Each structure stands twice: as C-alpha cells, then as structure tokens.
Amino acid sequence: MIFINEEKRIFNLRTENTEYVFGLDNENLIRHIYWGNKINNENDFEMDVLCEVSTNDPVYEITPEEYPVFGGLRYSENCLKVTFDDKTRDIVYKYDGYEVDGDLLVIKLKDVYYNFTINLNYKVMEKYDLIERYVTITNESDQSIVIEEIYSGQLHIPYENLIFRNTHGHWGAEQQMFKQNVSYGKITIENRKGVSGHNNNPYFILDKNATETSGEVFYGALRMSGNFKGVIEQTPYGETLVQMGINPYDFQFTLNPKESFTTPPLLCGYTDKGFEKMSHNLHNFAKENLLREGLRPVLYNSWEATEFNVTCEEQIKLAREAKKIGTELFVVDDGWFGQRNSIHNGLGDWYVNKEKFPKGLNPLIEEVKSLGMKFGIWVEPEMVNPLSKLYIDNPDWIYHFKTRERTTSRGQYVLNITKKEVKEFIYNMLDNLLSNYDIDYIKWDVNRPICEGGATNLGENERKMAFDHIQAVYDIVKELKKKHKNVLFEACASGGGRIDLGILGIFDDFWTSDNTDAYDRLFIQHTYSHIYPIKAMRAWVTDCPNFLSQRNIPLRFRFHSAMMGTLGIGGNILKWSNEDMKLAKDMVEEYKSIREIVQEGDFFRLENTSTNNYHLFEYTKDNEALLFAFLPQTQIGHRPVRVKLRNLDEKGMYEYKINGETMVKSGSYLMNYGVNIHLRGDYQSEIIRFDRR
Ligand code: GLA
C-alpha cells in the first residue's frame, strides 16, 4: 500500500510486514527516512532539517538521498552521471510531483535547466515484503545527452558494522558464499564479462548477526544478466549505503531527443526474521511471478556420457535406458550439428550432422516420443567458431576491432547479436528448429565472455553493447515463446554462469553448475537457495569417480543430492550395472512422488547442532514435509543430530518412518523437540517424509 502525506511531503510504502519511507526535504532532495518493520502510523514520520557537519561535510554528503546524482558538493558514489550537449556535467533536479498507479509510485524529478526528467519508480509487492526500484530517464530536449552511469537505486541501512554476503567462485565452483564485515572503505561486487559470470552474483545480503530464523536482514537482487555492479559502503555518518545496477565499467550511451531509458529493476526487502524469511520472500515472488506453472520433468542429458561423440544409434540406446529408469525428457547435448566434433568447429552451422545422424534428427525424436518422453536439444546461439561456414560467410558478424586480431576463447567468437541481421538469423534458426522438429526443451548455453566490443552498428552507443547484448537474448527467447508456447528453456553458461533474476522467467531452468559432484553440490545448492527458487535448480546424477573431484560417492547419496532440485540424470547409463539401474528406477519413482513438495514447497536450511558434519534441509507443502539429511563423512564421536523441523502445523499429527519404524508425533513436538537422526559411515543420506494424518 502507498500512503502519501501531502502536507509533510512524505511517501510511505507499506508491505505486509515492512515499511519504506522517504520524502522531499527542505533542500529539495528526495531523502530516505526509514526502512524496517511496519510502523502502521504514517503520520509519525518527520522530515528533520539536516545541517552540514562542517564545510568539509556538506549537506549533500550527509543527506541520505534516494537517488544521488553526480553534481554539486556530492563526492560519494552516485547513481546517475550525464553530460549535456553544452558540456555541463552535473544534474540539478527539482521535484516535479508524483503519480500513483495501483502499486506503483512514481516520483517525478526534472532538471532545473535542461529538459531532462528522472522518474524514480517504486513498485510495492505487498505480500512478498518486497519493493522493486527502477528509474526511467527521458530526454525531452532537442539536444542529445550522454549517459555515463545509471544505477537502479541507492539504499540506506541505518547501521554500521554489518555483515555482507555474496558469492565468489569460478567455473566448476559456482555459488561459493563469502561473508565480509562492512567497515570503512567500499566493497564492490561486479561482473565485467558481458555475458555471464561465475564469480559475484547480482545481489546483496546485509545482516546484523542474523541466523536462519532470527535477526535483521536487508537484501536486494537485480533483475538483470550481464554487467552489473554493486557498491556497499559504510559512511562516516553512521549508515551503510548500497548502490546496484548496470556496471558503469566500459559503459556509456547517448540518449537522443525524445528518447527514454529504463534501468533494470532492483528487488529489495527487509526482515527481522533471518535469512529463511528473506529466501521465502524472494522464492515466493519468483514462483508466483516468474516461473511457469507445472512440475519440471525428470531429464536425461547426454553430455557427460558422450561429449561430442553423439550418434543417432548411441543416443537411441541411451534414450531406451533412460526410459527404463523413469526419465521423462531426453536432452541431446552438444555435438549434433555442423562439423561439431570438438570445441573448434560447428558453432554457427546449425544443420544436423549427416555422419552422426544420416537420416536427420527425426529417427531419434520419433524413438524418444514413442518411448513416451519429451525431447530436448542443446544450442549455443550467441557464438560462432572461426572454421564455421557462418563465420567464413559473415566475418563482420562478431564483436571485433577492425585493426586487431580477433580473440577466441573455447575456440569461438561472440556474435554481435545487437545487429539486426544477426539477431534475425538466430531467431530464424531457432524458430526453424522448433518448427521442423518436435522439440520440448532447449538448453541454451554460452561458453565464453565477450571482449572487443567494437560493435560498429551501435555507433556512438558501442559502450552499451553488453547491456544491449543481453536484451537481444531476452527478446529472442520471449519472441520464440510466443510461437512455441510449451517449450522450456534452460539457461546455461559454462555451468552456472547465468543465474540471476533478470533471465529467470524468460528462461525456465538454470543449469546450476558443471560440477556434478554430489558433495560439492550440497554447498553450491545451499548458497543458490538463498536467492533463487528450487524449482529452477537443475541437478544431475552423474558417474563416479566424478570428472572434477575424482571422488567416488554412492549412487544413493548422488541421487539424494540431486533430488534437492529438479532431478536430472547425466551419467553414462549404458554402463550402469543392473543393481544401479534398479536403484535409479526406485529413486526416480520416489522423486516423482515428492517433487511437488520439492519444486513448489517452502525450503528450509536447517541447523546442524551435532559435532558431526550433517547437512540438513527441509521442504514443506500443505500437509507434508520432507527432511533431507546428509552425512558426507562421520567425525570422531559419531554423534547423532537432533533436528528441529520448521513450518509444521503445531496441532497436527505427523506420521513418518525412521530406521524402519513408523512414528506419529505432533507438529509441535517435531518443531520443538525435533527428530533424532543417526547416520553412520561416509556418504550416508536419508529422505524422511512427514505426512499429516
Ligand atoms: C558447457 C555446459 C555443459 C555442456 C557443454 C557442451 O560447458 O555447461 O553442460 O553443455 O558446455 O559443450
């Protein structure tokens, strides 16, 4: 809900449990006032008069501005920096009224001299305790304006000494969480790779010694893929600032007369109930607004089994085995097209390879369909190999500088998809693929960063290339989905390099990581779950020793780890023993019986109170709960764990089986006393199901 006190010029955004308040101050600045628990009395808020601390600490520095612009006596990070046609480089804005449209509040600002407007948009997402912030700038003048920096917003947290969390990592080690104490000096997280990143992720979590279930957490996630930046800074005036948005690194564009530009939205929230509530708010938002309805199928993917040695015959054999264990979707990975026998050729030549598929793709697709499975296929449309016909015929279709050697990575160049003809080529290629074949699932990969962004077609906006590139990807998929409504798209970028809330909703699934080691995955999935919904988290069971870790893990643990997300099988099942196939069939069947709870329920990271190394997770939906318990390696003492469940009905009675014995206990008992889990040995795991009677 939006409350406006016209007299005090104070705006109050209220969600189910929180309130976000700002107003217009005596200096004509849009000043932040409050972000925290709901107060419910909008008339309590006042706009105090701020005075400079000294001439060296001017009012602009101490004012918590909602959207500080470059100019005047402002030296902190700012959100917007432009150059007007006459070389004036600062903005002096005045308040120009507001508009309310349902849950959207728009604060209108206008430069005092130039015909340039800045609209600060605040969308209140009441039931999720979230506010979405984005900014629209418009050039109403007859001269062009150069935009050098434009963030989605600045946030103010009224504390010092907070703890900041984000991810670091690299290929095969995505989603590694780090914690850092915020002090004086900035923390910067960013991506400069144009396409995707395995390092920092576009979100912030700031807490005051929070736990999963208690404590204050301020958080936000940017709805954009590609080059983002976030700056976290504790000021000398007693607060912590966050700016987040498009990375100003190698970024600039010209806003022509009468043109507008809107930043990607920043979703932000507050809770005093710890990280669990933060995750639920974001998950619920994603589940109800971004993700397509329906349960995700159990898939088989051929990559680890065959790599580039794809043949029709072999794929049919794999499909038949996959069917035996209950797989519902068969995905042919890299290697089916052009001269794709290694990373060095094929990308760009999207015709079916005749040596591998002498009669085309249809014999395979028909077999898959006759087995009652859906069919999926891998593509990497943004890329081209130098040896491909596409590149030889169109050497100007890639990002490059005319006088420089063109840089390959994984043997490939990046297509300049901001060019109309390139974008059309990709759209048509995929449209043909989806129209000519009965395809239900596209795994869209991208395996290198962009460089040499000398996109001549962009003219003076060549530095906006990274932003425009990802918009073109979004456009192509959105357009394809209009025509091919039932096709699911998986976002993959050398594993989990394209996990963000910008792509989610346009794409349906994330490939979480090429690291399929079931133990490593527990950590990757744990971090992932802080921001992103379980339903989009693809997890495969693959062969051992794992290609990355060289670790051997029992098949049951591997299944349990992958069953935490949307289950896939990625091993060479032609080599699995009868015993493994039997276990796999049982596990897939079990997954199908619980997947509604896993994919659509609420997810909980439970506390391990044992000195033993347990990893404990819970899912709840309606009258059921699932407890996933993993013990990778028992520690000396071999202690059990007593684990307290979450989110049950206190008065309800729950039936569950533990060590072969059926128990019935109240929700209250299970949430307060808990259940005792005693796993013994290494790589032990259990899934316990609690059914309300
Ligand atoms: C990337 C993906 C893998 C696989 C290969 C194919 O590395 O992450 O899953 O699709 O490309 O080349």
Side-chain angles (χ1 to χ4, degrees):
M1 275 205 291
I2 300 169
F3 296 91
I4 297 161
N5 187 323
E6 301 268 359
E7 200 187 317
K8 292 186 180 172
R9 303 193 300 183
I10 289 179
F11 303 89
N12 191 312
L13 312 177
R14 204 172 282 172
T15 68
E16 207 164 288
N17 300 293
T18 73
E19 220 160 272
Y20 186 102
V21 184
F22 60 90
L24 183 66
D25 75 6
N26 55 315
E27 301 277 342
N28 245 318
L29 301 176
I30 304 296
R31 191 204 294 172
H32 181 78
I33 299 177
Y34 175 77
W35 188 20
N37 271 333
K38 188 151 83 173
I39 289 173
N40 259 337
N41 192 358
E42 59 275 16
N43 296 326
D44 284 346
F45 291 101
E46 301 291 344
M47 184 62 79
D48 302 328
V49 173
L50 287 183
C51 301
E52 61 181 24
V53 173
S54 81
T55 50
N56 291 300
D57 305 86
V59 124
Y60 284 102
E61 282 285 279
I62 59 173
T63 302
E65 277 187 272
E66 281 288 297
Y67 200 70
V69 292
F70 178 85
L73 286 162
R74 289 186 187 90
Y75 302 94
S76 314
E77 290 287 322
N78 51 71
C79 289
L80 180 63
K81 189 171 180 204
V82 310
T83 303
F84 294 101
D85 197 50
D86 61 4
K87 303 290 176 230
T88 298
R89 290 200 298 119
D90 69 358
I91 296 169
V92 181
Y93 69 74
K94 64 175 186 215
Y95 173 66
D96 194 29
Y98 71 86
E99 268 171 25
V100 175
D101 180 7
D103 294 333
L104 179 71
L105 169 67
V106 184
I107 302 294
K108 293 158 61 171
L109 308 178
K110 195 172 192 317
D111 190 274
V112 294
Y113 182 87
Y114 300 94
N115 243 335
F116 175 65
T117 64
I118 308 164
N119 284 357
L120 309 183
N121 303 288
Y122 296 83
K123 200 165 169 200
V124 184
M125 310 212 169
E126 202 167 334
K127 72 189 259 215
Y128 311 108
D129 279 336
L130 293 170
I131 289 168
E132 191 168 70
R133 291 196 54 184
Y134 57 97
V135 171
T136 303
I137 52 170
T138 306
N139 180 0
E140 313 267 15
S141 76
D142 296 327
Q143 282 81 38
S144 52
I145 302 170
V146 175
I147 315 299
E148 291 168 55
E149 185 171 301
I150 180 161
Y151 282 118
S152 299
Q154 169 163 285
L155 297 156
H156 298 265
I157 296 150
Y159 298 121
E160 297 171 284
N161 303 319
L162 293 167
I163 299 166
F164 172 70
R165 282 173 163 80
N166 198 258
T167 60
H168 67 97
H170 53 76
W171 172 81
E174 298 89 335
Q175 301 285 335
Q176 303 301 299
M177 186 167 270
F178 72 89
K179 280 206 274 189
Q180 198 169 327
N181 291 333
V182 183
S183 183
Y184 300 103
K186 291 170 187 154
I187 299 175
T188 299
I189 50 162
E190 63 172 347
N191 175 36
R192 297 179 170 198
K193 292 181 175 166
V195 171
S196 51
H198 303 74
N199 323 110
N200 296 151
N201 202 279
Y203 67 80
F204 69 88
I205 303 174
L206 285 159
D207 75 281
K208 246 172 99 57
N209 299 314
T211 68
E212 277 298 320
T213 52
S214 71
E216 290 186 83
V217 188
F218 297 82
Y219 58 93
L222 190 67
R223 294 187 56 196
M224 184 187 97
S225 318
N227 286 4
F228 80 95
K229 183 171 172 181
V231 182
I232 292 83
E233 181 182 13
Q234 179 169 303
T235 74
Y237 311 108
E239 62 163 359
T240 301
L241 302 179
V242 180
Q243 290 98 21
M244 200 165 258
I246 298 170
N247 198 339
Y249 164 79
D250 200 31
F251 174 81
Q252 181 170 301
F253 70 99
T254 301
L255 195 66
N256 290 316
K258 315 301 170 216
E259 270 180 7
S260 285
F261 178 79
T262 298
T263 67
L266 176 62
L267 256 190
C268 26
Y270 164 83
T271 177
D272 65 353
K273 299 202 166 39
F275 302 118
E276 180 183 288
K277 177 76 172 137
M278 166 192 81
S279 300
H280 287 174
N281 289 342
L282 289 167
H283 289 187
N284 290 340
F285 166 77
K287 280 191 282 193
E288 290 168 25
N289 297 276
L290 304 179
L291 290 178
R292 195 190 279 218
E293 279 182 9
L295 296 174
R296 298 292 179 262
V298 176
L299 68 72
Y300 177 82
N301 180 295
S302 65
W303 173 244
E304 285 196 28
T306 60
E307 297 213 339
F308 296 105
N309 301 323
V310 175
T311 62
C312 188
E313 227 175 289
E314 188 86 351
Q315 296 289 314
I316 286 177
K317 278 192 208 155
L318 283 167
R320 286 180 183 151
E321 289 305 293
K323 177 64 191 176
K324 285 186 196 158
I325 55 177
T327 302
E328 299 156 308
L329 162 68
F330 183 82
V331 183
V332 179
D333 210 278
D334 201 350
W336 60 269
F337 54 91
Q339 292 306 305
R340 188 71 170 166
N341 298 314
S342 73
I343 55 170
H344 297 291
N345 203 346
L347 292 176
D349 295 340
W350 297 105
Y351 59 85
V352 181
N353 182 301
K354 275 264 171 298
E355 285 95 61
K356 299 178 182 184
F357 293 89
K359 294 188 183 146
L361 282 179
N362 276 334
L364 172 62
I365 298 178
E366 280 157 18
E367 177 71 21
V368 167
K369 299 277 156 154
S370 75
L371 288 166
M373 290 189 286
K374 292 181 185 300
F375 180 76
I377 202 157
W378 180 96
V379 288
E380 194 175 355
E382 294 154 80
M383 301 288 159
V384 67
N385 286 118
L387 294 173
S388 68
K389 185 166 178 327
L390 184 76
Y391 178 70
I392 292 164
D393 292 348
N394 305 283
D396 286 340
W397 276 20
I398 65 162
Y399 296 114
H400 67 285
F401 293 122
K402 284 206 173 76
T403 58
R404 301 288 179 208
E405 199 174 313
R406 300 157 182 223
T407 306
T408 54
S409 173
R410 211 195 194 218
Q412 63 203 47
Y413 298 131
V414 187
L415 285 170
N416 173 4
I417 64 169
T418 66
K419 259 185 195 288
K420 196 168 162 281
E421 59 272 34
V422 182
K423 193 172 165 186
E424 272 171 16
F425 165 82
I426 294 174
Y427 174 82
N428 290 333
M429 177 278 278
L430 288 164
D431 180 35
N432 287 337
L433 196 63
L434 293 173
S435 305
N436 295 339
Y437 298 102
D438 191 359
I439 293 174
D440 307 282
Y441 190 88
I442 293 278
K443 177 177 172 187
W444 178 309
D445 207 342
V446 53
N447 277 305
R448 61 154 289 180
I450 302 180
C451 65
E452 288 132 23
T456 43
N457 60 303
L458 285 168
E460 57 199 354
N461 287 342
E462 62 182 351
R463 290 192 196 182
K464 192 159 151 277
M465 176 267 302
F467 181 81
D468 288 345
H469 182 101
I470 193 66
Q471 301 307 314
V473 172
Y474 294 171
D475 289 349
I476 293 169
V477 178
K478 279 186 199 162
E479 210 47 43
L480 286 167
K481 278 190 164 178
K482 278 188 203 153
K483 191 162 165 197
H484 307 279
K485 291 198 173 56
N486 297 323
V487 178
L488 288 174
F489 283 77
E490 178 178 17
C492 170
S494 297
R498 232 179 209 173
I499 296 180
D500 56 69
L501 285 186
I503 209 147
L504 194 67
I506 299 169
F507 286 65
D508 307 281
D509 259 2
F510 290 130
W511 178 222
T512 321
S513 175
D514 280 343
N515 185 339
T516 50
D517 176 277
Y519 176 58
D520 287 352
R521 269 301 181 106
L522 294 182
F523 296 90
I524 292 172
Q525 295 173 176
H526 183 272
T527 303
Y528 167 100
S529 74
H530 279 74
I531 305 291
Y532 303 108
I534 300 299
K535 192 173 184 176
M537 183 175 83
R538 266 288 159 200
W540 301 348
V541 176
T542 56
D543 292 333
C544 275
N546 181 273
F547 82 103
L548 264 175
S549 64
Q550 291 302 311
R551 203 173 358 231
N552 282 300
I553 293 183
L555 189 58
R556 192 161 177 274
F557 187 102
R558 277 183 271 155
F559 260 100
H560 284 166
S561 170
M563 284 159 78
M564 282 186 60
T566 54
L567 178 65
I569 288 104
N572 189 350
I573 44 178
L574 296 177
K575 294 192 177 152
W576 285 16
S577 65
N578 290 340
E579 204 186 320
D580 284 350
M581 290 296 279
K582 162 88 182 56
L583 180 63
K585 186 170 180 285
D586 292 347
M587 292 273 114
V588 171
E589 205 172 292
E590 184 178 352
Y591 180 73
K592 287 180 185 166
S593 77
I594 59 171
R595 79 171 134 188
E596 195 178 331
I597 315 172
V598 171
Q599 296 184 8
E600 298 191 338
D602 294 325
F603 176 71
F604 302 82
R605 297 171 291 264
L606 301 179
E607 193 188 356
N608 171 30
T609 51
S610 170
T611 52
N612 222 339
N613 179 23
Y614 286 97
H615 296 245
L616 302 156
F617 307 98
E618 185 191 346
Y619 300 74
T620 64
K621 186 168 193 293
D622 305 327
N623 290 326
E624 285 167 300
L626 300 168
L627 172 65
F628 280 60
F630 298 91
L631 180 68
Q633 187 182 45
T634 192
Q635 314 279 323
I636 192 156
H638 317 291
R639 305 239 195 280
V641 63
R642 196 200 302 165
V643 52
K644 294 180 186 180
L645 297 188
R646 306 272 305 149
N647 201 34
L648 303 183
D649 175 7
E650 275 183 29
K651 297 203 177 91
M653 298 305 289
Y654 291 83
E655 184 175 313
Y656 59 100
K657 253 197 190 142
I658 197 154
N659 302 327
E661 207 184 322
T662 302
M663 315 280 277
V664 179
K665 299 281 177 202
S666 70
S668 179
Y669 176 88
L670 293 168
M671 289 193 291
N672 291 295
Y673 175 85
V675 302
N676 286 310
I677 307 283
H678 200 177
L679 302 178
R680 291 175 179 83
D682 293 345
Y683 297 116
Q684 295 303 308
S685 54
E686 283 298 339
I687 299 175
I688 301 171
R689 184 175 179 150
F690 299 78
D691 286 303
R692 197 173 150 184
R693 298 217 300 187

